[in-house]
Amino acid sequence: MKKTILAIATLAILSIANVNAQRSSYPVHSAPHINNPRLDNKLEELSINHLDNIVKLSRKQENEIKRIENQYDRLLKGRRLGSRDIERLQNEKQKDIWSVLTPAQRERLVAYQHSRKFDRNPYRRG
């Protein structure tokens, strides 16, 4: 009986060590996209609506931002990119969206982001 328990415990310990040994120290990042296009479109709509509430986008600007979102979705779809490449594409996307805004809208957005900067904990008292 003791030998059986000892054998099971040894097997469990050795299998755990084997699983940990197979992990890669350099994870490969896949592109951060959603496989469900409807869900992806809903999330994009939410982010555009949120931006619209802050800076009051025109219909033309909304369509241009949607076009930019779709363009970058196509660039990222099905590719395995490193974290630097993903970050670079996200920065380019932000610059393209930023270029759609007027100077007054940019100022409004920066003011909103600055006001939210110090409000990390919405449940904070005082």
Side-chain angles (χ1 to χ4, degrees), residues 45-58 62 105 108-109 112:
E45 283 291 325
L46 280 174
S47 68
I48 291 171
N49 287 339
H50 183 67
L51 184 62
D52 184 28
N53 289 337
I54 297 168
V55 299
K56 307 299 182 213
L57 297 170
S58 69
E62 286 181 23
Q105 289 173 327
R108 233 180 278 149
L109 182 59
Y112 174 79

Side-chain angles (χ1 to χ4, degrees), residues 29-74:
H29 299 283
S30 61
H33 72 282
I34 298 172
N35 291 332
N36 185 349
R38 285 186 179 174
L39 180 60
D40 185 43
N41 288 340
K42 284 195 182 277
L43 290 174
E44 287 174 4
E45 283 291 325
L46 280 174
S47 68
I48 291 171
N49 287 339
H50 183 67
L51 184 62
D52 184 28
N53 289 337
I54 297 168
V55 299
K56 307 299 182 213
L57 297 170
S58 69
R59 190 69 183 151
K60 186 176 180 181
Q61 287 174 322
E62 286 181 23
N63 290 336
E64 184 67 20
I65 291 173
K66 285 179 190 176
R67 187 191 63 75
I68 291 169
E69 292 273 357
N70 290 335
Q71 174 188 356
Y72 280 95
D73 284 347
R74 283 191 304 271

Side-chain angles (χ1 to χ4, degrees), residues 6 15 21 24 37 41 45 52 76 89 97 99 118:
L6 185 60
S15 65
S24 172
N41 288 340
E45 283 291 325
D52 184 28
L76 292 173
L89 283 174
I97 291 174
S99 69
F118 300 108

Side-chain angles (χ1 to χ4, degrees), residues 29 81-91:
H29 299 283
L81 301 171
S83 60
R84 289 183 184 168
D85 294 330
I86 292 172
E87 186 177 333
R88 181 184 51 82
L89 283 174
Q90 287 175 343
N91 286 339

Side-chain angles (χ1 to χ4, degrees), residues 18-25:
N18 190 22
V19 169
N20 286 335
Q22 292 178 2
R23 288 187 182 169
S24 172
S25 61

